[in-house]
């Protein structure tokens, strides 16, 4: 039922998702994934805080709870629960962009190492390469983002313009 609930949740049929999470919990009241998913979908901070206090090593619960906190609290919370998991490292990078800019790139590097197929990790690291005026690294990262997801073209095109404006003449064959 948990998996069926996830399908309903992904197509924004939250009533059906909630019913299926509840069915999963009726079958096994200790089923942690269903409890976490239901609390996250319902944005039930109290339930997630309880789950995290009882299961501090559960990265999924930590991640979902961090999404409900304001940025400062989320950042401090994730620093305490700094799991080597892509979603948490990426979230730390996003939060660090405004709260601790000197640390942001490292979190995005961590995320990239954990998931080298992440388009957003490629683009974020490409942005840092542009800031450093490391045009070759930026090109490499943006090319890889395009290879991974042709739908990322609009994001990468904006960054491509930054590169060409700065004198880095890129010749990309986007048909590949």
């Amino acid at each position: 039922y948990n998996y069926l609930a996830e399908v309903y949740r992904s197509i924004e049929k939250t009533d059906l998702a909630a019913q299926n999470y509840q069915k999963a919990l009726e079958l096994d009241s200790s089923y942690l994934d269903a409890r976490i998913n239901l609390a996250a979908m319902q944005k039930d901070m109290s339930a997630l805080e309880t789950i995290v206090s009882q299961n501090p090593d559960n990265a999924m619960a930590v991640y979902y709870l961090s999404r409900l906190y304001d940025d400062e609290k989320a950042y401090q919370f994730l620093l305490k629960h700094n799991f080597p998991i892509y979603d948490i490292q990426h979230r730390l990078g996003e939060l660090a962009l405004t709260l601790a800019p000197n640390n942001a790139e490292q979190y995005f590097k961590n995320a990239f190492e954990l998931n080298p197929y992440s388009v957003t990790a490629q683009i974020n690291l490409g942005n840092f390469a542009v800031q450093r005026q490391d045009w070759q690294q930026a090109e490499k990262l943006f090319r890889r983002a395009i290879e991974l997801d042709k739908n990322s073209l609009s994001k990468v095109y904006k960054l491509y313009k930054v590169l060409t404006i700065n004198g880095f003449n890129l010749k990309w064959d986007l048909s590949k």
Side-chain angles (χ1 to χ4, degrees), residues 6-57:
E6 285 298 293
V7 171
Y8 284 129
R9 184 175 173 189
S10 73
I11 59 173
E12 298 180 18
K13 295 197 179 276
T14 55
D15 290 345
L16 291 171
Q19 289 172 14
N20 281 280
Y21 288 134
Q22 291 295 347
K23 286 180 184 177
L25 291 169
E26 286 169 14
L27 292 172
D28 181 359
S29 62
S30 66
Y31 188 20
L32 197 53
D33 285 359
R35 286 179 50 213
I36 294 167
N37 289 330
L38 179 61
M41 184 186 74
Q42 294 176 336
K43 296 181 172 44
D44 187 341
M45 190 180 305
S46 176
L48 283 169
E49 286 173 334
T50 299
I51 292 168
V52 169
S53 71
Q54 295 169 349
N55 305 278
D57 293 333

Side-chain angles (χ1 to χ4, degrees), residues 12 15 33-34 48 55 59-60 71 75 90 95 97 101 104 117 125 129 143 151 172 174:
E12 298 180 18
D15 290 345
D33 285 359
L48 283 169
N55 305 278
M60 184 169 73
D71 286 354
Y75 185 68
H90 191 268
L95 294 166
L97 285 172
Y117 298 101
L125 290 173
R143 277 185 190 266
N151 295 327
W172 288 0
L174 299 179

Side-chain angles (χ1 to χ4, degrees), residues 5-157:
E6 285 298 293
V7 171
Y8 284 129
R9 184 175 173 189
S10 73
I11 59 173
E12 298 180 18
K13 295 197 179 276
T14 55
D15 290 345
L16 291 171
Q19 289 172 14
N20 281 280
Y21 288 134
Q22 291 295 347
K23 286 180 184 177
L25 291 169
E26 286 169 14
L27 292 172
D28 181 359
S29 62
S30 66
Y31 188 20
L32 197 53
D33 285 359
R35 286 179 50 213
I36 294 167
N37 289 330
L38 179 61
M41 184 186 74
Q42 294 176 336
K43 296 181 172 44
D44 187 341
M45 190 180 305
S46 176
L48 283 169
E49 286 173 334
T50 299
I51 292 168
V52 169
S53 71
Q54 295 169 349
N55 305 278
D57 293 333
N58 189 296
M60 184 169 73
V62 166
Y63 173 76
Y64 281 133
L65 181 55
S66 79
R67 302 297 297 182
L68 298 180
Y69 287 150
D70 65 66
D71 286 354
E72 179 65 39
K73 186 171 183 176
Y75 185 68
Q76 295 305 319
F77 176 72
L78 288 174
L79 287 175
K80 284 189 236 172
H81 300 277
N82 191 353
F83 294 106
I85 294 171
Y86 171 82
D87 288 336
I88 289 180
Q89 294 302 307
H90 191 268
R91 178 83 171 122
L92 276 165
E94 290 174 331
L95 294 166
L97 285 172
T98 55
L99 299 171
N102 293 338
N103 299 333
E105 185 173 11
Q106 185 57 54
Y107 291 123
F108 287 125
K109 283 180 182 176
N110 296 346
F112 173 74
E113 289 171 8
L114 292 162
N115 181 1
Y117 298 101
S118 167
V119 172
T120 52
Q122 306 277 338
I123 291 172
N124 286 323
L125 290 173
N127 286 332
F128 283 105
V130 167
Q131 289 173 6
R132 287 190 311 276
Q133 297 184 357
D134 183 349
W135 309 121
Q136 282 143 345
Q137 180 66 9
E139 177 190 11
K140 176 182 166 188
L141 290 161
F142 296 151
R143 277 185 190 266
R144 180 78 171 127
I146 289 171
E147 290 168 7
L148 291 171
D149 181 6
K150 298 283 187 197
N151 295 327
S152 70
L153 285 174
S154 63
K155 292 178 187 175
V156 174
Y157 178 72

